[in-house]
Amino acid sequence: MSDALNRYYLQAMGIDLWELRRPHVSSEQGLGALAKEVAACTQCSLHKTRTQTVFCRGNSNAKLMIIGEAPGFFEDQQGLPFVGKAGALLNQMLQSIEMAENDVYIANVLKCRPPNNRDPQLEEIAQCSSYLERQIELIQPSLILALGRFAGQFLLNKPLPLKQLRKTLHHYHNIPFIVSYHPAYLLRNPADKKQAFLDLLTVKKLLVEKQG
């Protein structure tokens, strides 16, 4: 008999159920343990080519969580997300709405760099997704900014193009999120920086509304 069925019959007979209390684990403790778990991960083939895993940077108490797609060369070398040219642009983008690294928590869908910075593969996302899900659960942000279509598709669980993902307020487990351009894309297509800035203004507006 399954545990769930057993509990059902006990409740039906009016028998009180006793459950062991789980010890309280702070978000910092939980994130630390999760980071160690990620560092030892061998669930997909990317562990064979990585220099190190890339877990996060920023403030775990931040209201805004930013989610990118996958580490690049510099991220793989330093073990931090968004530290190359795309990271420098992201910092400038945040400064444009009067935010800094301490105001955000940054993570990626994948924790290991795909070889030659290729797109993440579906099986890699599937193997790695539980780590990001647990990060979001521990951070409990007020708002998520997804950068790039892979991050947006992961949160929405729909394979929509970026054009359809943008300019809409979505929800991931009751947490609102919006999707914008990845900084790496903006470096190749600077004409879309204005649209990205409009997305950032929406982010700032939503955060102000949350605080109000």
Side-chain angles (χ1 to χ4, degrees), residues 140-152:
Q140 283 296 301
S142 298
L143 179 67
I144 296 173
L145 171 61
L147 298 176
R149 64 184 174 92
F150 286 103

Side-chain angles (χ1 to χ4, degrees), residues 83-179:
V83 293
K85 290 183 179 180
L89 178 56
L90 177 59
N91 290 340
Q92 293 173 15
M93 292 166 65
L94 290 172
Q95 289 170 10
S96 73
I97 55 169
E98 300 176 332
M99 297 187 76
E101 181 173 332
N102 195 52
D103 298 312
V104 297
Y105 180 89
I106 306 174
N108 282 316
V109 175
L110 293 189
K111 309 306 183 194
C112 298
R113 179 197 179 200
N116 301 314
N117 291 354
R118 62 161 170 75
D119 287 343
Q121 297 177 352
L122 290 177
E123 59 267 28
E124 292 165 353
I125 294 174
Q127 293 286 353
C128 207
S129 61
S130 65
Y131 297 135
L132 179 58
E133 289 169 355
R134 285 155 66 188
Q135 276 179 294
I136 296 172
E137 183 180 344
L138 287 164
I139 297 298
Q140 283 296 301
S142 298
L143 179 67
I144 296 173
L145 171 61
L147 298 176
R149 64 184 174 92
F150 286 103
Q153 290 171 353
F154 168 80
L155 293 172
L156 194 61
N157 197 27
K158 289 183 180 179
L160 297 178
L162 184 66
K163 184 177 180 180
Q164 292 184 39
L165 290 167
R166 283 188 65 244
K167 298 183 179 180
T168 302
L169 184 63
H170 309 281
H171 286 83
Y172 172 85
H173 294 181
N174 296 320
I175 300 173
F177 75 90
I178 67 171
V179 185

Side-chain angles (χ1 to χ4, degrees), residues 2-212:
S2 70
D3 290 340
L5 191 58
N6 188 43
R7 285 196 298 271
Y8 171 78
Y9 282 126
L10 289 172
Q11 288 175 326
M13 290 186 289
I15 299 174
D16 291 333
L17 299 179
W18 290 78
E19 292 190 11
L20 289 174
R21 284 188 177 181
R22 293 183 179 180
H24 174 73
V25 178
S26 70
S27 61
E28 284 293 338
Q29 290 174 315
L31 289 167
L34 183 59
K36 291 180 181 178
E37 185 179 338
V38 168
C41 180
T42 58
Q43 291 191 86
C44 77
S45 62
L46 292 182
H47 80 276
K48 298 176 182 179
T49 55
R50 75 187 180 213
T51 301
Q52 58 189 313
T53 55
V54 178
F55 189 68
C56 75
R57 74 176 172 98
N59 182 359
S60 61
N61 294 312
K63 300 298 183 184
L64 176 63
M65 182 172 184
I66 298 176
I67 297 175
E69 298 178 346
F73 173 80
F74 294 103
E75 289 77 13
D76 177 66
Q77 294 294 311
Q78 297 185 39
L80 297 169
F82 288 97
V83 293
K85 290 183 179 180
L89 178 56
L90 177 59
N91 290 340
Q92 293 173 15
M93 292 166 65
L94 290 172
Q95 289 170 10
S96 73
I97 55 169
E98 300 176 332
M99 297 187 76
E101 181 173 332
N102 195 52
D103 298 312
V104 297
Y105 180 89
I106 306 174
N108 282 316
V109 175
L110 293 189
K111 309 306 183 194
C112 298
R113 179 197 179 200
N116 301 314
N117 291 354
R118 62 161 170 75
D119 287 343
Q121 297 177 352
L122 290 177
E123 59 267 28
E124 292 165 353
I125 294 174
Q127 293 286 353
C128 207
S129 61
S130 65
Y131 297 135
L132 179 58
E133 289 169 355
R134 285 155 66 188
Q135 276 179 294
I136 296 172
E137 183 180 344
L138 287 164
I139 297 298
Q140 283 296 301
S142 298
L143 179 67
I144 296 173
L145 171 61
L147 298 176
R149 64 184 174 92
F150 286 103
Q153 290 171 353
F154 168 80
L155 293 172
L156 194 61
N157 197 27
K158 289 183 180 179
L160 297 178
L162 184 66
K163 184 177 180 180
Q164 292 184 39
L165 290 167
R166 283 188 65 244
K167 298 183 179 180
T168 302
L169 184 63
H170 309 281
H171 286 83
Y172 172 85
H173 294 181
N174 296 320
I175 300 173
F177 75 90
I178 67 171
V179 185
S180 187
Y181 299 100
H182 194 284
Y185 167 86
L186 294 174
L187 289 171
R188 301 190 301 270
N189 302 272
D192 284 324
K193 286 184 178 180
K194 182 178 180 181
Q195 293 300 315
F197 179 64
L198 294 176
D199 293 339
L200 291 174
L201 291 178
T202 300
V203 166
K204 186 172 183 179
K205 178 184 176 184
L206 290 169
L207 288 173
V208 169
E209 289 175 353
K210 285 281 184 181
Q211 292 172 357

